[in-house]
């Protein structure tokens, strides 16, 4: 049983460019989460999907950020017009969708905005 | 609003010493879940344990043990006979039990260095 995978693992971009990250959850996991982690901090919740529906978004998710989960499988997180403050590790997690869920995390995508 | 505090930013111990990582949480919910995750230098968060608010039994798993005390809102993690492979950042996290996303609120983490 494969775990959560994320692609790319590292991304370096110039300020103002758009970037897109992909997350493949554990097979048959209904819930998918995106978190952001900056240096020396714990992960912070960004958004959450139940199957293909995006049900909750954090106030951290500015209008430059958009996430999708077509067909309830993989998910993408796009950042438009990147800023240096977007530099962080972007973590994806999935869970089965049961009440007492445990979230399992992927390896993350480290974004550096120059 | 929920909050998790890990007051120890960094801890260094010599191999084979015991070490306890502290976690204090705040929540208004009566149903909630507490977690510990390990983040080694590779960066991937590894799940260690989940406890629900109705189960205050302490748990032991090999060299790891957890002490959950609702009276002090604490969920501390002890590693017995530490090893170099235990070196990592450890995060305590809280999820509230109300219907919703069950999003995790993390503490800032404790960096553990085990010196050979």
């Amino acid at each position: 049983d494969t775990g959560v995978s994320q692609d790319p693992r590292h991304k370096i971009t110039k300020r103002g460019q758009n970037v897109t990250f992909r997350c493949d959850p554990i097979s048959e996991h209904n819930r998918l989460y995106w978190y952001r982690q900056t240096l020396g901090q714990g992960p912070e919740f960004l958004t959450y999907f139940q199957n293909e529906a995006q049900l909750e978004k954090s106030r951290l998710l500015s209008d430059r950020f958009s996430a999708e989960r077509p067909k309830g499988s993989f998910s993408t997180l796009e950042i438009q017009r990147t800023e240096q403050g977007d530099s962080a590790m972007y973590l994806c997690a999935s869970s089965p969708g049961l009440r007492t869920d445990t979230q399992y995390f992927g390896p993350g995508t480290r974004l550096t905005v120059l | 609003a929920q909050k998790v505090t890990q007051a120890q930013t960094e801890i260094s111990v010599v191999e084979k010493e015991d070490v306890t990582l502290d976690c204090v949480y705040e929540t208004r919910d009566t149903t909630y879940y507490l977690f510990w995750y390990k983040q080694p230098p590779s960066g991937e968060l590894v799940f260690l344990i989940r406890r629900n608010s109705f189960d205050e039994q302490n748990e032991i798993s090999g060299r790891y043990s957890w002490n959950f005390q609702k009276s002090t809102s604490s969920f501390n993690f002890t590693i017995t006979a530490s090893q170099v492979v235990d070196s990592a950042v450890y995060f305590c996290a809280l999820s509230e039990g109300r219907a919703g996303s069950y999003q995790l609120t993390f503490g800032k983490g404790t960096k553990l260095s085990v010196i050979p």
Side-chain angles (χ1 to χ4, degrees):
Chain A
D1 187 23
T2 58
V4 178
S5 61
Q6 293 187 244
D7 184 70
R9 295 292 306 277
H10 303 274
K11 178 71 177 179
I12 300 174
T13 191
K14 293 182 179 179
R15 188 175 53 187
Q17 298 294 306
N18 299 342
V19 294
T20 300
F21 310 141
R22 176 180 170 124
C23 170
D24 287 89
I26 294 172
S27 178
E28 298 182 356
H29 275 193
N30 295 326
R31 293 182 178 172
L32 187 147
Y33 302 78
W34 285 98
Y35 291 83
R36 181 172 69 186
Q37 184 180 20
T38 53
L39 199 62
Q41 302 295 315
E44 294 176 294
F45 170 76
L46 291 179
T47 190
Y48 147 71
F49 290 85
Q50 174 84 31
N51 298 313
E52 67 275 11
Q54 187 175 19
L55 297 183
E56 193 165 334
K57 292 192 287 187
S58 162
R59 57 180 172 77
L60 293 176
L61 210 66
S62 76
D63 55 7
R64 297 185 297 106
F65 288 69
S66 62
E68 295 182 342
R69 193 184 181 195
K71 302 179 183 178
S73 55
F74 71 91
S75 176
T76 58
L77 177 68
E78 181 183 15
I79 309 174
Q80 296 182 325
R81 305 181 304 281
T82 52
E83 302 173 355
Q84 288 186 327
D86 297 331
S87 295
M89 176 79 88
Y90 290 85
L91 295 163
C92 177
S94 70
S95 68
L98 303 174
R99 184 179 164 96
T100 55
D101 262 354
T102 292
Q103 295 177 31
Y104 296 93
F105 284 80
T109 295
R110 182 169 296 283
L111 172 67
T112 301
V113 181
L114 301 176
Chain B
Q2 52 189 10
K3 182 180 178 181
V4 175
T5 301
Q6 294 180 255
Q8 305 149 309
T9 305
E10 293 192 41
I11 299 176
S12 289
V13 298
V14 176
E15 200 171 20
K16 298 185 182 178
E17 286 184 346
D18 299 346
V19 59
T20 295
L21 309 181
D22 297 334
C23 172
V24 174
Y25 63 91
E26 295 177 29
T27 178
R28 294 182 180 179
D29 278 14
T30 55
T31 301
Y32 51 90
Y33 304 90
L34 295 164
F35 301 79
W36 277 94
Y37 285 86
K38 175 183 180 180
Q39 190 173 43
S42 61
E44 185 166 346
L45 280 164
V46 177
F47 165 73
L48 296 178
I49 190 172
R50 181 189 71 233
R51 287 312 251 185
N52 71 54
S53 53
F54 297 110
D55 183 2
E56 286 193 71
Q57 273 194 332
N58 292 330
E59 183 157 338
I60 298 174
S61 176
R63 295 184 299 105
Y64 295 170
S65 62
W66 291 269
N67 184 323
F68 175 30
Q69 292 194 342
K70 288 180 74 171
S71 60
T72 56
S73 298
S74 64
F75 185 44
N76 297 338
F77 173 30
T78 297
I79 302 174
T80 303
S82 58
Q83 300 176 1
V84 173
V85 293
D86 296 326
S87 297
V89 181
Y90 290 86
F91 290 97
C92 181
L94 168 70
S95 172
E96 291 179 333
R98 55 184 163 81
S101 69
Y102 295 96
Q103 62 178 268
L104 294 170
T105 297
F106 286 85
K108 292 188 175 183
T110 297
K111 182 178 180 180
L112 174 64
S113 298
V114 181
I115 304 164

